[in-house]
Amino acid sequence: MHIKIVNPNTTSFFTEACLVAGRAVAAEGTRLSAGQPSSGTPSVECHVEEAVATLGVIEQVRAGEAAGVDGYVIACFGDTGIEAAREIAAGPVVGMTEAALFSAALIAPVFSIVTLPMRTRIFAERVLWRTGLERRCARVRAIDIDVLDCEDEAVEVFEPFVSEARRAILEDHAEAIILGCAGLQPLIGRLEAALGVPIIEGVAAAVKLAESLLSLRLGTSKRGAWGYPIDKTMTGVAPALTLGKSRP
């Protein structure tokens, strides 16, 4: 099976970091690739950037369909562009946020999310509402660090994350912590040692869930809401982004 990790932003560090996270858990025989938009935003930290990044997700999934990709992982917390991706893809599309939430719900009765920066909490909350897991998540917490600072995760992210996660454990009674940003897989071992609870990284969780769905021969339902896009002409749109049915 071929699974493509789609990074909605244009920062190659995150694309490569997500590929490393996926390869660390992928089953033997699973082919993993990763892609990022040819143009767009270097990070997704507000709604305007998310709208721009969604066009990049469409571009990358269209390219994957043409190349015979079987399934996709959306590697951005908040699952940027996932609804559009599911309309285009024949196979399963798994968001890292959904995968992290479902995984946490299977191993802990109560969990918390620690994301970044502060204003992106609404993205995590949106996925919580959509999945119906808001009652299991004690709180969405955030540290005041920009996404692009994660490129130096040991210096910029680790200590603030530990501090906020400790508050989640003590104040929220969280029994597991979800990493609310892509590219933080290198921190998992240190975080688990410092915090003493399971740490869920969404890209790895999404890769394993995509593998499971493909093994079960389950693709995206085309019956209604996630049916292929309506075939119509759109003005001023690059050929790679034009709509219409992706596969017969």
Side-chain angles (χ1 to χ4, degrees):
M1 64 181 71
H2 181 185
I3 297 172
K4 181 176 183 178
I5 299 172
V6 178
N7 170 22
N9 70 52
T10 60
T11 302
S12 59
F13 165 82
F14 290 108
T15 307
E16 292 303 316
C18 290
L19 189 57
V20 169
R23 285 176 173 165
V25 300
E28 184 177 352
T30 296
R31 176 188 171 193
L32 282 184
S33 61
Q36 66 190 50
S38 58
S39 62
T41 176
S43 63
V44 180
E45 300 178 65
C46 66
H47 291 94
V48 168
E49 291 174 347
E50 187 175 51
V52 171
T54 295
L55 295 177
V57 171
I58 294 170
E59 169 197 278
Q60 287 299 305
V61 175
R62 279 220 166 273
E65 292 297 282
V69 169
D70 300 303
Y72 301 86
V73 166
I74 305 299
C76 185
F77 212 79
D79 300 342
T80 298
I82 194 167
E83 306 288 346
R86 284 174 171 158
E87 288 186 355
I88 295 166
V93 181
V94 181
M96 68 170 290
T97 316
E98 287 183 342
L101 291 173
F102 290 133
S103 297
L106 292 173
I107 63 169
V110 180
F111 54 87
S112 288
I113 298 169
V114 180
T115 189
L116 57 94
M118 292 287 187
R119 71 181 294 174
T120 64
R121 284 179 298 182
I122 187 65
F123 295 160
E125 289 167 349
R126 177 186 62 202
V127 185
L128 274 170
W129 300 328
R130 190 174 66 217
T131 58
L133 289 171
E134 65 272 17
R135 294 180 64 183
R136 300 286 298 279
C137 181
R139 188 171 176 182
V140 178
R141 292 176 170 268
I143 55 177
D144 198 14
I145 292 177
D146 293 339
V147 169
L148 293 176
D149 288 335
C150 292
E151 292 188 57
D152 191 7
E153 76 279 345
V155 174
E156 298 290 345
V157 178
F158 182 75
E159 290 300 336
F161 197 100
V162 167
S163 179
E164 195 64 32
R166 282 178 175 154
R167 281 194 283 272
I169 294 167
L170 292 174
E171 298 172 13
D172 306 341
H173 307 291
E175 299 180 29
I177 300 293
I178 292 175
L179 291 170
C181 186
L184 299 182
Q185 187 271 343
L187 297 181
I188 291 178
R190 293 173 62 198
L191 288 170
E192 287 180 336
L195 298 170
V197 298
I199 307 296
I200 297 100
E201 194 282 315
V203 173
V207 166
K208 298 308 292 183
L209 187 50
E211 285 181 334
S212 297
L213 292 170
L214 288 168
S215 295
L216 292 168
R217 299 186 180 184
L218 294 174
T220 300
S221 173
K222 296 303 175 183
R223 180 70 177 91
W226 292 333
Y228 289 111
I230 299 168
D231 192 3
K232 64 175 68 172
T233 300
M234 300 181 67
T235 59
V237 177
L241 300 182
T242 53
L243 302 183
K245 189 174 179 180
S246 299
R247 289 185 178 177

